[in-house]
């Protein structure tokens, strides 16, 4: 349970994971359950202080240039945290499908986590996944036939996402 108590101060510092530069003026949100309790921007040093805070809560940081961050913290164990934001990488996919681009659905799954994302090809046969955590991923392509049957196919290509790089993948031969 989140509580406001006299004298309890919780400090958060937000930096770029690679160059350790402070991330100034990004919003840090404290939430409990599904309810946002407090939101404040970081200062020019990438720091924000929440006074009178104790208990367990979620710290979330959203910066449009980075992967969103969220973590549960317990102020009975710590009074400050360092949030290291990661820009992540991306995956761009292309497949020649003619007029049937909307009939192709893509599901991306990270190999060692529960993360998955999905999208369809746009009308030009392109799709992209951005701000992905670095690591290995698998891709499944599902085509819907004219009679409405879905045919999933796991793409046998190893997909390795690296920070600040775009992995390009053509599915034309699949």
């Amino acid at each position: 349970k989140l509580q406001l108590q006299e004298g309890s101060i919780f400090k958060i510092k937000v930096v770029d994971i690679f160059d350790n530069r402070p991330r100034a003026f990004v919003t840090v949100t404290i939430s409990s359950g599904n309810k946002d309790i407090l939101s404040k921007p970081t200062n020019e040093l990438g720091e924000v202080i929440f006074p009178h805070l104790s208990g367990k809560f979620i710290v979330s940081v959203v910066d449009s240039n980075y992967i969103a961050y969220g973590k549960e913290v317990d102020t009975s164990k710590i009074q400050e945290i360092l949030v290291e934001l990661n820009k992540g990488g991306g995956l761009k996919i292309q497949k020649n499908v003619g007029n049937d681009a909307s009939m192709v659905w893509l599901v991306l799954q990270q190999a060692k986590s529960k993360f998955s994302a999905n999208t369809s090809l746009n009308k030009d046969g392109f799709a992209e996944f951005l701000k992905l955590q670095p690591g290995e991923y698998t891709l499944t392509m599902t085509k819907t036939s004219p009679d409405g049957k879905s045919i999933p196919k796991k793409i046998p290509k190893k997909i390795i996402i690296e920070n600040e790089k775009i992995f390009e993948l053509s599915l034309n031969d699949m």
Side-chain angles (χ1 to χ4, degrees):
K1 182 179 175 185
L2 179 65
Q3 297 176 351
L4 300 178
Q5 293 182 347
E6 190 65 39
S8 300
I9 295 175
F10 190 74
K11 178 180 171 184
I12 299 166
K13 181 167 179 125
V14 181
V15 299
D16 181 292
I17 194 169
F18 292 104
D19 61 16
N20 211 33
R21 282 186 301 163
R23 297 297 304 154
F25 313 111
V26 298
T27 301
V28 176
T29 301
I30 303 295
S31 59
S32 182
N34 291 330
K35 185 177 177 186
D36 290 349
I37 308 296
L38 301 164
S39 287
K40 286 181 160 184
T42 58
N43 62 20
E44 59 279 346
L45 301 174
E47 298 173 345
V48 62
I49 292 175
F50 292 95
H52 314 297
L53 201 58
S54 69
K56 290 183 182 180
F57 50 86
I58 304 291
V59 173
S60 302
V61 180
V62 177
D63 182 326
S64 62
N65 297 313
Y66 293 83
I67 298 170
Y69 173 92
K71 183 176 181 179
E72 183 177 74
V73 296
D74 182 349
T75 60
S76 69
K77 297 183 169 110
I78 56 173
Q79 281 73 47
E80 69 179 72
I81 63 169
L82 177 66
V83 174
E84 296 175 311
L85 295 180
N86 181 349
K87 289 185 179 178
L91 171 63
K92 289 193 177 182
I93 300 162
Q94 190 272 325
K95 179 157 181 68
N96 294 332
V97 290
N99 294 332
D100 294 332
S102 64
M103 305 294 276
V104 178
W105 192 252
L106 302 164
V107 177
L108 184 68
Q109 186 152 15
Q110 191 170 25
K112 295 184 179 180
S113 80
K114 295 178 182 179
F115 172 83
S116 69
N118 54 60
T119 191
S120 60
L121 295 174
N122 68 18
K123 64 181 176 55
D124 298 318
F126 290 92
E128 64 183 12
F129 297 93
L130 300 175
K131 296 184 186 175
L132 297 170
Q133 288 285 355
E136 187 173 337
Y137 289 79
T138 59
L139 183 68
T140 302
M141 175 175 59
T142 301
K143 293 181 188 177
T144 303
S145 63
D147 63 357
K149 292 183 180 174
S150 294
I151 306 158
K153 179 181 181 183
K154 189 170 183 176
I155 305 303
K157 178 108 173 130
K158 192 174 198 176
I159 300 169
I160 305 292
I161 301 299
E162 299 177 71
N163 277 308
E164 298 188 46
K165 292 185 181 177
I166 300 295
F167 188 101
E168 295 190 17
L169 179 62
S170 172
L171 300 178
N172 289 328
D173 55 347
M174 296 179 198

